[in-house]
């Protein structure tokens, strides 16, 4: 069975922490997979739900257990190009 954390949440919503690398890493370290929201703006990949807020990298998105949700076409194209899940 695979348990999936939504944006890093493990016990209810915490909007101020969602989609932050530290919060996501905590969920991964506890054995969860983690769905994250990804935007691309001006060639920069960003984590965030309603808009891109926190810079990220292909390396971060390719971590085992990350399920990347492209929130715009630019992010989708880049993730396809770099084989991000």
């Amino acid at each position: 069975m695979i348990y999936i954390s939504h944006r890093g949440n493990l016990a209810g919503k915490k909007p101020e922490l969602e989609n932050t690398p530290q919060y996501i890493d905590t969920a991964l370290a506890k054995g969860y997979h983690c769905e994250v929201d990804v935007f691309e703006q001006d060639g920069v990949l960003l984590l965030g739900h309603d808009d891109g807020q926190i810079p990220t990298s292909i390396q971060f998105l390719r971590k085992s257990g990350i399920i990347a949700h492209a929130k715009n076409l630019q992010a989708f194209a880049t993730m396809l190009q770099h084989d991000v899940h």
Side-chain angles (χ1 to χ4, degrees), residues 3 11 17 28 31 42 51 60-61 66 68 74 77 79 81-82 84:
Y3 291 98
L17 297 174
L28 294 173
D42 300 322
D51 58 1
F60 183 82
L61 297 174
I66 294 281
Q74 297 90 340
M79 290 190 306
Q81 181 181 16
H82 293 280
V84 172

Side-chain angles (χ1 to χ4, degrees), residues 4 6-7 11 14-15 21-22 30-31 33-34 37 39-42 44 51 53-54 63-64 70-71 75 78 82:
I4 301 173
H6 188 239
R7 303 181 198 136
K14 293 188 179 175
Q22 300 83 2
K30 291 184 178 186
H33 283 56
C34 190
D37 300 316
F39 288 86
E40 184 173 336
Q41 297 170 341
D42 300 322
V44 177
D51 58 1
Q53 299 170 340
I54 301 161
K63 283 186 177 187
S64 180
K71 300 289 276 188
T78 297
H82 293 280

